[in-house]
Amino acid sequence: MNPGQILRLTLLSVIFLAIAGCAVNPVTGKKQLSLIPESQELALGAEHYTPTQQTQGGQFYLDPELTVYVREVGMKLARVSDRPDLPYEFVVLNSSVPNAWALPGGKIAINRGLLVKFEDEAQLAAVMGHEIVHAAARHSVQRMQQGMLISAGVAGLGFALSDNEWAGLIMGGAAVGAQLALAQYSQGDELESDHYGIRYMKAAGYDPQAAVELQELFLELSQGRQTSWLDGMFATHPPSARRVRENQALASELGTGGFRGRDIYQRRIALLKELQPAYDAHDKAMELASNGDMNAALDSINKAIEQEPREAMFFALRGRIYKEQKQMEKAQADFDKAVSLYPEMFQYQLYNGLNSLAMNNLDKARGHLERANQVVPTSIAYLRLGDIASRQNRRNDAIGHYSKAAEAGGDVGEEAKRKLADLSQ
């Protein structure tokens, strides 16, 4: 079969799938392409929810009641949505980046960095309603399908993560989930989510004017007054004057007024606000460390730890600073502390494993790297597990680990390929 015949066959297959795969959008009632069945949609969200949370900072565990509250608000809106039977889940993530996202099947997350910007529960409901529409209207699935069609059957989503130094090394399902959570929505998707999200707010008893206020705030901030926000909400949910106008028109049509919940919201985020100076000190330390000023970074992270000694994130960063300063024992103590406070977090297990390997503690390094890969597989963990296996004369294990690392490409992949070649000699 020549290339022209293959191309025609591919196009015919795509056309057939497009004809056979038409369905009605459960939110808008419009016909749309549906190549991914609901069972697969639900499986995608369930499979990628935890790894995607981890690549975005992990759970904000210091105030579990805050997550309970966000879940309560989210479920009020989910129950009046067009897909109330989705297995909705809501979580607060430990990230200063002001963002929120939804995976297929109603798996929704909001960062603490966005929660501290709201004034009341109605504004939180505006964001929750918006994300619920993204899930209910299958926007992530639609983006996946568009990628499939563009590449004739192969998903063509670009991979973008937040400021995570391991972003380019993340493999497998965690990478797919991050793509779905962080790829930019189309303007049509955003307007659709605004429109129906406001309707959900009204149905749940909230004041739809809060959605207008929120878009006005986002638009104002996006115009350069707080450019750090551009790395968060605006990267995936671009604001526009059109969104403000259309939200206002719909809010006026539906009738403004309703529950605002300022007092209860401020009570629920009181601890988060109390902890904000510690997170500001952490973020400042991150900035200083990235600019190479390790002594100033150490001073700043010590202030954060003094203010909140239960936060694993702070010890993990101090450990990285100590490691950069070649203070390996101090780094190890901090990585151990971070793991003890939040053992489920892949990043802390990864830091611990890499530092243990640098200190020639092979068994400890192996344990931490394996636990990291159980949650979020990374090429660097596979590479170093290969090194450990090689040094422990476990040749078959080394080949397996190096083979996985080689799939990633880049410097890590090239190093893995060289070591595989050495083993085969």
Side-chain angles (χ1 to χ4, degrees), residues 173-378:
V176 174
Q179 289 171 351
L180 290 174
L182 297 173
Q184 183 173 318
Y185 289 108
S186 70
Q187 185 180 57
D189 288 345
E190 288 296 271
L191 292 171
E192 194 169 280
S193 289
D194 285 349
H195 181 91
Y196 289 96
I198 290 172
R199 290 187 177 277
Y200 296 168
M201 287 180 69
K202 185 68 175 178
Y206 290 104
D207 183 358
Q209 190 66 29
V212 182
E213 297 165 2
L214 212 56
Q215 285 305 317
E216 289 174 339
L217 173 64
F218 291 165
L219 185 60
E220 178 182 333
L221 293 171
S222 73
Q223 292 169 346
R225 302 194 181 187
Q226 283 193 22
T227 54
S228 63
W229 276 54
L230 294 171
D231 297 328
M233 177 66 77
F234 303 146
T236 52
H237 300 75
S240 67
R242 179 182 175 186
R243 291 178 67 181
V244 174
R245 291 194 303 271
E246 296 202 7
N247 285 5
Q248 183 63 73
L250 180 57
S252 299
E253 176 189 327
L254 295 175
T256 57
F259 185 68
R260 295 297 306 222
R262 188 183 191 282
D263 289 345
I264 186 173
Y265 186 79
Q266 292 299 323
R267 287 198 304 271
R268 295 300 184 110
I269 67 164
L271 178 59
L272 190 58
K273 284 192 167 182
E274 181 183 327
L275 294 175
Q276 191 58 45
Y279 288 110
D280 289 342
H282 166 273
D283 297 344
K284 181 64 175 178
M286 283 279 290
E287 180 183 349
L288 290 165
S290 67
N291 292 330
D293 192 347
M294 294 301 163
N295 290 329
L298 188 59
D299 288 341
S300 190
I301 197 59
N302 280 334
K303 291 176 183 176
I305 291 172
E306 182 180 350
Q307 293 176 68
E308 182 44 75
R310 299 171 300 162
E311 177 54 80
M313 176 189 292
F314 299 165
F315 289 98
L317 177 55
R318 192 170 70 176
R320 292 164 62 191
I321 294 169
Y322 279 140
K323 187 177 180 183
E324 186 69 23
Q325 294 178 328
K326 309 301 182 186
Q327 299 187 64
M328 308 303 284
E329 294 287 350
K330 287 185 176 181
Q332 191 62 64
D334 276 344
F335 292 143
D336 285 343
K337 181 68 172 180
V339 167
S340 73
L341 289 168
Y342 190 179
E344 299 84 4
M345 184 64 175
F346 92 99
Q347 220 170 25
Y348 308 153
Q349 297 283 359
L350 182 60
Y351 293 148
N352 203 320
L354 295 175
N355 195 73
S356 297
L357 180 58
M359 296 179 70
N360 206 33
N361 191 336
L362 301 189
D363 289 336
K364 182 174 183 177
R366 178 184 177 186
H368 286 295
L369 293 176
E370 287 178 343
R371 283 191 288 275
N373 267 1
Q374 287 169 3
V375 184
V376 176
T378 60

Side-chain angles (χ1 to χ4, degrees), residues 38-72:
E38 184 177 281
S39 59
Q40 188 176 348
E41 172 192 3
L42 300 184
L44 276 168
E47 178 184 356
H48 300 314
Y49 194 39
T50 295
T52 305
Q53 291 175 40
Q54 295 244 332
T55 65
Q56 302 304 301
Q59 294 189 16
F60 178 60
Y61 65 85
L62 290 180
D63 188 1
E65 291 302 313
L66 182 61
T67 292
V68 172
Y69 173 60
V70 167
R71 185 182 301 126
E72 289 170 351

